[in-house]
Amino acid sequence: MGKSSKDKRDLYYRKAKEEGYRARSAFKLLQLDEQFHFLDNVTRVVDLCAAPGSWSQVLSRRLFDDDTENNSSKRIVAVDLQPMFPIDNVTTIQADITHPKTLNKIMDLFEGEKADFVCSDGAPDVTGLHDLDEYVQQQLILSALQLTTCLLREGGVFVAKIFRGRDIDMLYSQLSFLFERVVCAKPRSSRGTSLESFIVCLGYRPPSDWKPRLDVNMSVEDFFQGCDIGRLTIDDEIPNYREEPRSIAEFISCGGLDSFDSDATY
Amino acid sequence: MSQLRQLSHTGPSVCVKFHGKYVLAGYGVFVHVYNYESGELVSISRVFHRNKVHGLAIREKSVLLYGGRSVSLLDIDYLWGNADNTRFEKLCHEWVVSGEHSMDGSSVFLLTSYNKVLCCDLSFRVLQTKAVYGERSILYSGTITVLNQDKVLVNAGTVMDGVLVWDLKTEKTIHHFTDHEGSIFYVAASIKGRYAASCSDDRSIKLWDLHSGHLVSTGWGHTARIWNLKFYDNDSKLISVSEDCTCRVWEISERGTLIQKSIHELHQTKSIWGVDVNDEKMIAVTSGNDGRIKITDLNARTKSDSDSRIFSLDDISKHGVKLRPNEIIKGFYWLRFGLLAMTSEGQVLKFDQKAEMWTSVMTDSRFTSYSATSGVQEFDMVIFSNSRCELLILKFSEDGNEILENKQLQINELTKSTNCLVRGYNSKLFLVMESPNPKDPFFCLRMDASNLQHEERLYFKKPKNFTASSFAFYENFAIFGSRFSTLAIFDLENCEREATVLRKILPGDTITSIDFVEKNSESDCLFSVSDRDGFYCFISINFLKRSHKVLLQNRIPKGFLEGAHYNAQGDFITYGFKSNLFYVFNETKQYEVFSELCGGAHRQWRYLPNFGLDEFIFIYIKASSINFRKIHKAAYPEILRNGLHGREIRDLCVRTEPLHLGKTVFCSASEDTTIKLNVLNVKDGETKTVWTFRKHTSGLQRCKFINNKFMISSAAREELYLWELTDTFMSNPYMTIICALPSSSEIPDLRIMDFACKAIEGTEDFILTTVYSDSAIKVWLYSSDENTFKLLISDKYQTCCLLNVALVTLDTELILVVSPTDGHLVCWNLTKYIPYVIQNNKLVKVLEGFQPQIHLPDISERIAVHSAGIKSFEFKIIAENRFFVYTGGDDNAVAISEFVLDKSHKTIQGCVRSFISAGAASTITSVKLIRRDMTLLTASVDQVVRYYDVSAGDLVLKNKFYTTNADTGCIDTLSSATGSIALIGGVGFSVWTLE
Ligand SMILES: C[S@@+](CC[C@H](N)C(=O)[O-])C[C@H]1O[C@@H](n2cnc3c(N)ncnc32)[C@H](O)[C@@H]1O
């Protein structure tokens, strides 16, 4: 759903203004963290699809303001198609995350070290063809996941925006191959009337029999070929239609029921 | 075991293709085959399990179908013969953007969303995989051009940097066009391979020269994104379709310039996805998000043969007509043989359409300078009048060669006349003259049309503030329309009797047309009335009882309305001007029939029947030339399938009582802000829209029939309307707003999320409760005598948005149940707070000594059921003191909760009885009890309809079904002879039967 006058009246919009966040989205990450505490003790993070940068602001405050020790080993990298105004302690890259080259660039910035946390709040342009829009959204998540498999430390956390449409249960199923626990979380600051939620993947457990390998000539799909997460592989024949594995992730509403919901009108 | 079976489906259609005399349309998981000559739907064949058909390619008898990750290859005869072809479906690992057959037909090419081509044999064994090195980011679009057995081009539209044309064999990039901004939504190569055309997020079309690799031209015009393009007519033209719901025709000049030739408004908000052109017949077929499959004659609006004529005064004088230097045409009328016109010199001109000749008929100097022209087609008659009340009536022979009657008249009864209206009725000619002096009577002349004899002169006292602008007859009554949207009814048998004046029957001003529709068994006569400001209504008049009632009122989307009438097919047609266009619009089916650029609202124009079947003529003067434009009945059915809403359906409500045998009415409320009144055939699920109402301005939330007569709809901006349905006429059911709920705040976004009603026995009154997005709860009393809503209670829950409300009567108590976004169910006992006594679950009589209280009592019970908002609920009374609430939530869960009222009626205790946390993979948007409340049906955004056996008070999942409607949002049900009928809405609409 596009931005409308609704946003202006939203309580979270005003709250964001007051607290110096660039977007009301900041509260989504804050409410998610309130529930899962995935930002406790993290030092190296990647924020994908980050513009205008309110998640990066949250991350920057959490990593650097709350805890001023060991600043030198800390790292925040933010990526978006759009340019971003600088944020303290955040390295920004303007690039397309579906492009393998972009992932290489991010990897370079980590100089061989692993990340603790990867998030993506990305959403592509919607056409109105729900199946296509959902597919492209899932491809964006897969791109983020591609980077995650190359960069995230074992036990790390991956968070991404999802739209709970027709095939979301296929994504749940695939993610559950790579993480200990997969939860669909909806912060109260995310509109109940929109299909937006967040997939919170806790406890990364990389497959032992598969080495992720970035290659500029490989699509995201090619990348995951050989990694057994239940995605369709293609050998020498396009297979018959079959039901693919699907599973329904646990749902958690976060932010506390007494906090404001963003469907309310003020 | 009972089975859910889909009876019908209406929803987005992404692709269409001509094949011989057929149109093949991808329609959800189906392929529809239409005979476009007869309009018949020849077959419906399911080709995929879940994915929508996004494209199809035909080579001889082989059809390649693709959509999402699905592909299928089958013999075209299978589409006719088999209702189910899903066994041929294959599943690719990536989204298939496009597919084509190879030149020799031995293989197929599939372009995937990661810019890779799979070359497969006919059993989908992958022979080769082709891609351009390093160009592997995601595509929104692409096509494959098979030039010959060896030369195949891939035209890929990327998300970021433009159009990539590459050679399949060599896997080398030929061109990389980067002049667009944003994602590329379509790329097409011209038939002969000279050009490629592309369109993008930037709303432009770019034409590229494939030889030189240059951008040749850019076409601007669409007001939103463009989704599809097609070259036709030997590459001399390009057709484009867009999110703006128009289809545009572009001419490609010798040098490659794109020139926009015509605009066709064809679909409903929003998006036309598919287009194809039949070169030979010059017709286009389009398909859109509204589920409409539309045929458009591309010649009709561009050709300039005998259907479109322009004559300047110079041209006319070349026919031997003598015209003075300043002589101009002052008025005209169209008869069977052609046109009659009056000039500023009193000269009567005739244009014979067969001979294509202009001649001078006569000159009558009384009509120099001022004259008015009108006529009666069925009498071959033209009438000229002037301000001195002088008249000239000419009656012609059918061929126009002879003047059969020539009558000159002077009306002495009036001092002056500014207005002369003419109509024929039952072989009588009626002539009405009006004087600018309000004291003068309304003068009416009635004559035998055959010989212009037996004059009768009738005078009527003129109502105040009345200037006749249109009129109609019925039996011995004349109905006049005037300014200030006033109607006056005169009794022709009794001139003395004062006119019945109906003031302000429409919001606009001048009434432009009044037409008789039908008379029903109660002797109510139905008329359609239009006003210039864009409003129309249907009014039922009982001449004997002198009573009237407006049964429907509506407005056109924009422009001026000059007239409206039912056509022979029973479609309601409107016409008028829209900025510089004259348009004819099918209001029933919601599409433009015709439009002509004529330079804006004219003083001199006529739109008249042209004697052929469904043929019309539009005549107007532009730059002192006279223009004729014939509008034929379309050569092919204009609509193969009409579709419903072009955006998400937010709510559906069926009226329980059938309309007539096997048919029933239902309303659909959509994100497009319209409410449609539709007729459903319960047997086959066929759905026909009868009216599209544009009263709500935004954010539709709910619509419900509260009984067989009244429907209520609610929306943002605190809009809530009470609608009354009339089904006593044969032509159509009619519906109109009779009352609006008063609004209270200035917040434009304040939404009425839901409402509930409880009837007061023996009256048409009811208690209404409304819940709002700012946590407000209000209780109202509707009084039908006063036609008002009176506020009884106004209070707030907390700070969160309220999603659902119900009023439950338990023997002698009235319980209010609300579900906020906090996932709770909250109850209040309202018994003492409404001015009625409740007995046996009914509100029976006025409560003596009632003390009004504006605040709600304390909450009786509040229980946590879901961990996020409850999107939908249903309730069922189990016993005198017990009820169940069935809920579906944003947390994917379904639940049954139980509430018990204690003996003293003081407290209510609630608990969750049954709970399924993974009730769906996504938000459950609707729950519905069916089959005497034994079964619960749920719909969710994962596009699965589930049904549970709830007969034992808990949830037992019995079965689930996939629905093609994305964003599945609402269900309503109806019991039928064989079981239940379920209507399911989302992006699309389906009718299911549960047997
Ligand atoms: C909802 S915004 C993110 C808001 C951000 N989390 C914040 O708090 O300010 C979504 C972003 O996704 C970005 N995006 C979409 N597709 C992308 C892609 N392929 N690569 C990089 N960024 C992308 C868009 O440019 C947009 O800025």
Side-chain angles (χ1 to χ4, degrees), chain A residues 125-126 131 139 164 166 192 217 219 236 238-241 244 253 261 263-266, chain B residues 50-51 54 69 90-91 114 124 126 134 136 140 225 751 773 821 867 890 892 922 962:
Chain A
D125 289 343
V126 295
D131 47 357
Q139 294 307 303
R164 285 185 291 156
R166 187 185 72 164
N217 198 37
S219 71
D236 49 357
I238 300 178
N240 283 331
Y241 175 85
E244 290 163 277
S253 172
D261 71 313
D263 283 306
T265 317
Y266 297 92
Chain B
R50 295 168 63 95
N51 289 330
H54 280 244
R69 295 188 293 126
K90 304 274 174 180
L91 206 56
Y114 283 101
F124 286 111
V126 182
R136 303 301 309 284
Y140 262 114
R225 292 173 293 178
R751 283 156 286 154
S773 55
T821 49
S867 56
D890 196 23
N892 312 342
S922 181
Y962 177 71

Tab-separated table of all heavy atoms in Angstrom, chain A residues 125-126 131 139 164 166 192 217 219 236 238-241 244 253 261 263-266, chain B residues 50-51 54 69 90-91 114 124 126 134 136 140 225 751 773 821 867 890 892 922 962:
chain	number	residue	atom	x	y	z
A	125	ASP	N	9.006	-2.755	-6.396
A	125	ASP	CA	7.840	-2.052	-6.951
A	125	ASP	C	6.734	-3.074	-7.143
A	125	ASP	O	6.983	-4.151	-7.668
A	125	ASP	CB	8.148	-1.524	-8.362
A	125	ASP	CG	9.104	-0.370	-8.325
A	125	ASP	OD1	9.272	0.216	-7.241
A	125	ASP	OD2	9.680	-0.056	-9.384
A	126	VAL	N	5.516	-2.741	-6.739
A	126	VAL	CA	4.446	-3.705	-6.979
A	126	VAL	C	3.725	-3.388	-8.286
A	126	VAL	O	3.552	-2.231	-8.651
A	126	VAL	CB	3.422	-3.784	-5.828
A	126	VAL	CG1	4.058	-4.319	-4.575
A	126	VAL	CG2	2.773	-2.440	-5.577
A	131	ASP	N	0.798	-12.626	-7.861
A	131	ASP	CA	1.736	-13.740	-7.914
A	131	ASP	C	3.134	-13.265	-8.299
A	131	ASP	O	4.125	-13.679	-7.714
A	131	ASP	CB	1.227	-14.849	-8.850
A	131	ASP	CG	0.737	-14.343	-10.194
A	131	ASP	OD1	0.718	-13.115	-10.413
A	131	ASP	OD2	0.385	-15.187	-11.044
A	139	GLN	N	12.254	-13.335	-4.146
A	139	GLN	CA	13.586	-13.341	-4.753
A	139	GLN	C	14.498	-12.357	-4.034
A	139	GLN	O	15.683	-12.599	-3.858
A	139	GLN	CB	13.520	-13.002	-6.254
A	139	GLN	CG	12.792	-14.041	-7.087
A	139	GLN	CD	13.347	-15.445	-6.870
A	139	GLN	OE1	14.520	-15.692	-7.061
A	139	GLN	NE2	12.482	-16.357	-6.450
A	164	ARG	N	2.757	-11.804	3.578
A	164	ARG	CA	2.181	-13.132	3.760
A	164	ARG	C	1.142	-13.429	2.694
A	164	ARG	O	-0.043	-13.252	2.895
A	164	ARG	CB	1.557	-13.237	5.147
A	164	ARG	CG	2.581	-13.384	6.251
A	164	ARG	CD	1.893	-13.617	7.577
A	164	ARG	NE	1.178	-12.434	8.032
A	164	ARG	CZ	0.156	-12.465	8.882
A	164	ARG	NH1	-0.287	-13.618	9.336
A	164	ARG	NH2	-0.418	-11.362	9.247
A	166	ARG	N	0.295	-16.033	-0.973
A	166	ARG	CA	-0.032	-17.401	-1.313
A	166	ARG	C	1.071	-18.419	-1.012
A	166	ARG	O	0.815	-19.515	-0.574
A	166	ARG	CB	-0.355	-17.428	-2.816
A	166	ARG	CG	-0.860	-18.716	-3.307
A	166	ARG	CD	-1.018	-18.650	-4.806
A	166	ARG	NE	0.274	-18.644	-5.479
A	166	ARG	CZ	0.421	-18.904	-6.776
A	166	ARG	NH1	-0.628	-19.144	-7.522
A	166	ARG	NH2	1.602	-18.899	-7.335
A	192	GLY	N	-1.960	-3.550	10.581
A	192	GLY	CA	-2.669	-4.830	10.569
A	192	GLY	C	-3.378	-5.071	9.261
A	192	GLY	O	-3.592	-6.198	8.846
A	217	ASN	N	28.032	-15.022	-12.640
A	217	ASN	CA	27.202	-15.594	-13.699
A	217	ASN	C	26.104	-16.503	-13.149
A	217	ASN	O	25.472	-17.223	-13.888
A	217	ASN	CB	28.055	-16.361	-14.705
A	217	ASN	CG	27.287	-16.557	-16.000
A	217	ASN	OD1	26.545	-15.661	-16.414
A	217	ASN	ND2	27.431	-17.710	-16.622
A	219	SER	N	22.533	-16.947	-11.057
A	219	SER	CA	21.352	-16.312	-10.477
A	219	SER	C	21.205	-16.826	-9.055
A	219	SER	O	21.861	-17.782	-8.661
A	219	SER	CB	20.115	-16.682	-11.281
A	219	SER	OG	19.782	-18.030	-11.065
A	236	ASP	N	18.009	-32.341	-16.127
A	236	ASP	CA	17.897	-32.379	-17.580
A	236	ASP	C	16.443	-32.421	-18.023
A	236	ASP	O	16.150	-32.576	-19.186
A	236	ASP	CB	18.674	-33.572	-18.121
A	236	ASP	CG	18.315	-34.844	-17.374
A	236	ASP	OD1	17.510	-34.742	-16.409
A	236	ASP	OD2	18.830	-35.904	-17.740
A	238	ILE	N	12.396	-30.706	-17.134
A	238	ILE	CA	11.520	-29.910	-16.272
A	238	ILE	C	10.510	-30.875	-15.667
A	238	ILE	O	9.795	-31.553	-16.393
A	238	ILE	CB	10.828	-28.785	-17.065
A	238	ILE	CG1	11.905	-27.860	-17.657
A	238	ILE	CG2	9.876	-28.004	-16.179
A	238	ILE	CD1	11.373	-26.741	-18.496
A	239	PRO	N	10.490	-30.970	-14.352
A	239	PRO	CA	9.665	-32.010	-13.722
A	239	PRO	C	8.166	-31.728	-13.799
A	239	PRO	O	7.755	-30.588	-14.016
A	239	PRO	CB	10.136	-31.998	-12.272
A	239	PRO	CG	10.677	-30.633	-12.059
A	239	PRO	CD	11.217	-30.159	-13.374
A	240	ASN	N	7.388	-32.766	-13.585
A	240	ASN	CA	5.944	-32.611	-13.504
A	240	ASN	C	5.592	-31.743	-12.309
A	240	ASN	O	6.354	-31.658	-11.344
A	240	ASN	CB	5.280	-33.980	-13.308
A	240	ASN	CG	5.254	-34.752	-14.608
A	240	ASN	OD1	5.207	-34.156	-15.703
A	240	ASN	ND2	5.300	-36.070	-14.502
A	241	TYR	N	4.419	-31.176	-12.385
A	241	TYR	CA	3.951	-30.388	-11.258
A	241	TYR	C	3.845	-31.285	-10.038
A	241	TYR	O	3.380	-32.412	-10.116
A	241	TYR	CB	2.577	-29.787	-11.551
A	241	TYR	CG	1.994	-29.063	-10.371
A	241	TYR	CD1	2.336	-27.741	-10.129
A	241	TYR	CD2	1.143	-29.713	-9.476
A	241	TYR	CE1	1.842	-27.076	-9.025
A	241	TYR	CE2	0.641	-29.053	-8.364
A	241	TYR	CZ	0.999	-27.733	-8.143
A	241	TYR	OH	0.510	-27.077	-7.052
A	244	GLU	N	4.908	-28.653	-3.472
A	244	GLU	CA	6.216	-28.452	-2.866
A	244	GLU	C	6.067	-28.375	-1.359
A	244	GLU	O	4.989	-28.071	-0.864
A	244	GLU	CB	6.829	-27.184	-3.431
A	244	GLU	CG	7.214	-27.385	-4.875
A	244	GLU	CD	7.447	-26.080	-5.590
A	244	GLU	OE1	6.472	-25.480	-6.045
A	244	GLU	OE2	8.601	-25.677	-5.653
A	253	SER	N	2.971	-11.795	17.658
A	253	SER	CA	2.695	-10.379	17.522
A	253	SER	C	3.575	-9.679	18.535
A	253	SER	O	3.636	-10.082	19.691
A	253	SER	CB	1.213	-10.170	17.832
A	253	SER	OG	0.944	-8.816	17.897
A	261	ASP	N	-1.569	0.380	18.046
A	261	ASP	CA	-1.540	-0.300	16.756
A	261	ASP	C	-1.658	0.752	15.673
A	261	ASP	O	-2.262	1.801	15.868
A	261	ASP	CB	-2.658	-1.334	16.649
A	261	ASP	CG	-4.017	-0.728	16.518
A	261	ASP	OD1	-4.315	0.195	17.307
A	261	ASP	OD2	-4.771	-1.134	15.634
A	263	ASP	N	-3.215	0.761	12.946
A	263	ASP	CA	-4.465	0.905	12.199
A	263	ASP	C	-5.365	1.944	12.842
A	263	ASP	O	-6.331	2.382	12.258
A	263	ASP	CB	-5.223	-0.423	12.176
A	263	ASP	CG	-4.602	-1.358	11.188
A	263	ASP	OD1	-4.468	-0.943	10.030
A	263	ASP	OD2	-4.233	-2.471	11.574
A	264	ALA	N	-5.049	2.259	14.065
A	264	ALA	CA	-5.913	3.184	14.783
A	264	ALA	C	-5.778	4.583	14.208
A	264	ALA	O	-4.746	4.964	13.665
A	264	ALA	CB	-5.555	3.172	16.257
A	265	THR	N	-6.851	5.316	14.337
A	265	THR	CA	-6.883	6.676	13.816
A	265	THR	C	-6.822	7.639	14.988
A	265	THR	O	-7.489	7.422	15.991
A	265	THR	CB	-8.204	6.905	13.081
A	265	THR	OG1	-8.469	5.762	12.302
A	265	THR	CG2	-8.132	8.109	12.192
A	266	TYR	N	-6.025	8.667	14.860
A	266	TYR	CA	-5.962	9.666	15.929
A	266	TYR	C	-6.328	11.024	15.404
A	266	TYR	O	-6.044	11.331	14.268
A	266	TYR	CB	-4.560	9.693	16.553
A	266	TYR	CG	-4.262	8.371	17.190
A	266	TYR	CD1	-3.622	7.380	16.485
A	266	TYR	CD2	-4.729	8.095	18.473
A	266	TYR	CE1	-3.404	6.130	17.045
A	266	TYR	CE2	-4.518	6.857	19.037
A	266	TYR	CZ	-3.854	5.886	18.329
A	266	TYR	OH	-3.654	4.657	18.878
B	50	ARG	N	-2.213	-24.231	-9.566
B	50	ARG	CA	-2.294	-23.018	-8.746
B	50	ARG	C	-1.919	-21.750	-9.486
B	50	ARG	O	-2.378	-20.666	-9.126
B	50	ARG	CB	-1.337	-23.142	-7.546
B	50	ARG	CG	-1.676	-24.218	-6.567
B	50	ARG	CD	-0.513	-24.433	-5.604
B	50	ARG	NE	-0.228	-23.259	-4.800
B	50	ARG	CZ	-0.716	-23.068	-3.571
B	50	ARG	NH1	-1.499	-23.947	-3.031
B	50	ARG	NH2	-0.416	-21.968	-2.904
B	51	ASN	N	-1.025	-21.881	-10.431
B	51	ASN	CA	-0.490	-20.668	-11.049
B	51	ASN	C	-1.416	-20.099	-12.115
B	51	ASN	O	-2.111	-20.826	-12.800
B	51	ASN	CB	0.889	-20.945	-11.633
B	51	ASN	CG	1.915	-21.136	-10.534
B	51	ASN	OD1	1.773	-20.555	-9.463
B	51	ASN	ND2	2.922	-21.956	-10.774
B	54	HIS	N	0.009	-16.733	-17.554
B	54	HIS	CA	0.503	-15.389	-17.888
B	54	HIS	C	0.763	-15.205	-19.371
B	54	HIS	O	0.910	-14.091	-19.843
B	54	HIS	CB	1.783	-15.082	-17.102
B	54	HIS	CG	1.536	-14.659	-15.698
B	54	HIS	ND1	1.860	-13.412	-15.237
B	54	HIS	CD2	0.976	-15.310	-14.658
B	54	HIS	CE1	1.518	-13.315	-13.962
B	54	HIS	NE2	0.980	-14.455	-13.578
B	69	ARG	N	5.897	-20.351	-12.330
B	69	ARG	CA	6.921	-21.338	-12.657
B	69	ARG	C	6.335	-22.491	-13.457
B	69	ARG	O	7.022	-23.463	-13.734
B	69	ARG	CB	7.580	-21.833	-11.361
B	69	ARG	CG	8.353	-20.706	-10.647
B	69	ARG	CD	9.169	-21.232	-9.480
B	69	ARG	NE	8.316	-21.717	-8.407
B	69	ARG	CZ	8.403	-22.921	-7.871
B	69	ARG	NH1	9.305	-23.787	-8.315
B	69	ARG	NH2	7.606	-23.286	-6.888
B	90	LYS	N	4.014	-28.730	-15.947
B	90	LYS	CA	5.383	-28.962	-15.480
B	90	LYS	C	5.765	-27.773	-14.621
B	90	LYS	O	5.204	-26.680	-14.764
B	90	LYS	CB	6.348	-29.028	-16.668
B	90	LYS	CG	5.981	-30.072	-17.709
B	90	LYS	CD	6.540	-31.411	-17.343
B	90	LYS	CE	6.036	-32.464	-18.327
B	90	LYS	NZ	6.575	-33.786	-17.988
B	91	LEU	N	6.729	-27.988	-13.749
B	91	LEU	CA	7.123	-26.918	-12.841
B	91	LEU	C	8.603	-26.608	-12.981
B	91	LEU	O	9.449	-27.456	-12.744
B	91	LEU	CB	6.802	-27.340	-11.406
B	91	LEU	CG	6.563	-26.228	-10.406
B	91	LEU	CD1	5.454	-25.298	-10.862
B	91	LEU	CD2	6.232	-26.828	-9.058
B	114	TYR	N	15.610	-15.060	-14.570
B	114	TYR	CA	17.018	-14.713	-14.375
B	114	TYR	C	17.775	-14.697	-15.696
B	114	TYR	O	18.959	-15.024	-15.767
B	114	TYR	CB	17.666	-15.612	-13.321
B	114	TYR	CG	17.264	-15.195	-11.926
B	114	TYR	CD1	16.290	-15.869	-11.232
B	114	TYR	CD2	17.845	-14.061	-11.343
B	114	TYR	CE1	15.898	-15.456	-9.960
B	114	TYR	CE2	17.455	-13.636	-10.079
B	114	TYR	CZ	16.485	-14.330	-9.389
B	114	TYR	OH	16.109	-13.897	-8.154
B	124	PHE	N	9.745	-31.492	-22.655
B	124	PHE	CA	10.420	-30.649	-21.673
B	124	PHE	C	11.729	-31.234	-21.134
B	124	PHE	O	12.112	-30.988	-20.004
B	124	PHE	CB	9.472	-30.271	-20.517
B	124	PHE	CG	8.447	-29.243	-20.929
B	124	PHE	CD1	7.118	-29.593	-21.033
B	124	PHE	CD2	8.833	-27.944	-21.226
B	124	PHE	CE1	6.173	-28.661	-21.425
B	124	PHE	CE2	7.896	-27.003	-21.620
B	124	PHE	CZ	6.568	-27.365	-21.716
B	126	VAL	N	15.492	-30.743	-21.100
B	126	VAL	CA	16.290	-29.555	-21.379
B	126	VAL	C	17.450	-29.933	-22.285
B	126	VAL	O	18.324	-30.717	-21.903
B	126	VAL	CB	16.806	-28.910	-20.078
B	126	VAL	CG1	17.599	-27.654	-20.379
B	126	VAL	CG2	15.640	-28.601	-19.152
B	134	GLY	N	27.264	-12.944	-16.985
B	134	GLY	CA	27.247	-11.790	-16.088
B	134	GLY	C	25.960	-10.986	-16.067
B	134	GLY	O	25.789	-10.096	-15.252
B	136	ARG	N	22.788	-11.571	-15.082
B	136	ARG	CA	21.895	-12.540	-14.466
B	136	ARG	C	21.010	-11.965	-13.358
B	136	ARG	O	20.554	-12.697	-12.506
B	136	ARG	CB	22.722	-13.704	-13.915
B	136	ARG	CG	23.594	-14.410	-14.958
B	136	ARG	CD	22.775	-14.977	-16.104
B	136	ARG	NE	21.670	-15.785	-15.641
B	136	ARG	CZ	21.783	-17.017	-15.174
B	136	ARG	NH1	22.955	-17.602	-15.150
B	136	ARG	NH2	20.743	-17.685	-14.760
B	140	TYR	N	11.664	-8.382	-15.130
B	140	TYR	CA	10.213	-8.296	-15.012
B	140	TYR	C	9.551	-8.758	-16.301
B	140	TYR	O	8.398	-9.131	-16.326
B	140	TYR	CB	9.771	-6.848	-14.755
B	140	TYR	CG	9.513	-6.522	-13.310
B	140	TYR	CD1	10.315	-5.616	-12.625
B	140	TYR	CD2	8.451	-7.104	-12.634
B	140	TYR	CE1	10.071	-5.302	-11.300
B	140	TYR	CE2	8.206	-6.807	-11.308
B	140	TYR	CZ	9.015	-5.903	-10.644
B	140	TYR	OH	8.768	-5.591	-9.342
B	225	ARG	N	1.621	3.300	-15.597
B	225	ARG	CA	2.570	2.368	-16.192
B	225	ARG	C	1.944	1.580	-17.347
B	225	ARG	O	0.742	1.349	-17.380
B	225	ARG	CB	3.090	1.411	-15.116
B	225	ARG	CG	3.954	2.130	-14.091
B	225	ARG	CD	4.332	1.234	-12.945
B	225	ARG	NE	3.183	0.865	-12.127
B	225	ARG	CZ	3.265	0.050	-11.082
B	225	ARG	NH1	4.424	-0.496	-10.756
B	225	ARG	NH2	2.187	-0.231	-10.376
B	751	ARG	N	-12.400	5.581	10.049
B	751	ARG	CA	-13.136	4.543	9.321
B	751	ARG	C	-14.197	3.891	10.200
B	751	ARG	O	-13.935	3.624	11.369
B	751	ARG	CB	-12.168	3.439	8.862
B	751	ARG	CG	-11.325	3.817	7.659
B	751	ARG	CD	-10.038	3.005	7.609
B	751	ARG	NE	-9.112	3.480	8.636
B	751	ARG	CZ	-8.165	2.738	9.184
B	751	ARG	NH1	-7.996	1.495	8.817
B	751	ARG	NH2	-7.371	3.251	10.106
B	773	SER	N	-12.175	3.168	13.724
B	773	SER	CA	-10.729	2.958	13.758
B	773	SER	C	-10.062	3.741	14.886
B	773	SER	O	-8.889	3.550	15.144
B	773	SER	CB	-10.115	3.320	12.410
B	773	SER	OG	-10.465	4.634	12.036
B	821	THR	N	-8.067	-4.736	17.582
B	821	THR	CA	-6.837	-5.283	16.992
B	821	THR	C	-5.949	-5.965	18.038
B	821	THR	O	-4.946	-6.568	17.686
B	821	THR	CB	-5.992	-4.191	16.301
B	821	THR	OG1	-5.857	-3.105	17.213
B	821	THR	CG2	-6.608	-3.722	15.015
B	867	SER	N	-3.457	-13.626	19.031
B	867	SER	CA	-2.316	-12.783	19.375
B	867	SER	C	-2.179	-11.597	18.434
B	867	SER	O	-1.237	-10.827	18.516
B	867	SER	CB	-1.037	-13.617	19.405
B	867	SER	OG	-0.861	-14.256	18.175
B	890	ASP	N	-5.449	-12.339	12.324
B	890	ASP	CA	-4.248	-11.949	11.601
B	890	ASP	C	-3.081	-12.863	12.014
B	890	ASP	O	-2.047	-12.915	11.361
B	890	ASP	CB	-3.933	-10.491	11.949
B	890	ASP	CG	-2.965	-9.860	10.978
B	890	ASP	OD1	-2.869	-10.350	9.833
B	890	ASP	OD2	-2.298	-8.876	11.350
B	892	ASN	N	-3.127	-15.998	11.906
B	892	ASN	CA	-3.338	-17.256	11.167
B	892	ASN	C	-4.199	-18.268	11.935
B	892	ASN	O	-4.313	-19.411	11.503
B	892	ASN	CB	-2.030	-17.980	10.822
B	892	ASN	CG	-0.982	-17.082	10.202
B	892	ASN	OD1	-1.314	-16.001	9.724
B	892	ASN	ND2	0.250	-17.523	10.202
B	922	SER	N	-1.459	-17.728	6.344
B	922	SER	CA	-1.489	-16.278	6.358
B	922	SER	C	-2.786	-15.803	7.005
B	922	SER	O	-3.629	-16.619	7.385
B	922	SER	CB	-1.384	-15.804	4.907
B	922	SER	OG	-1.388	-14.422	4.878
B	962	TYR	N	-8.055	-24.633	-2.891
B	962	TYR	CA	-7.298	-23.490	-3.372
B	962	TYR	C	-8.233	-22.550	-4.130
B	962	TYR	O	-9.066	-22.994	-4.905
B	962	TYR	CB	-6.193	-24.006	-4.303
B	962	TYR	CG	-5.378	-22.912	-4.923
B	962	TYR	CD1	-4.497	-22.169	-4.131
B	962	TYR	CD2	-5.509	-22.592	-6.264
B	962	TYR	CE1	-3.759	-21.144	-4.687
B	962	TYR	CE2	-4.762	-21.573	-6.822
B	962	TYR	CZ	-3.893	-20.849	-6.031
B	962	TYR	OH	-3.169	-19.839	-6.588
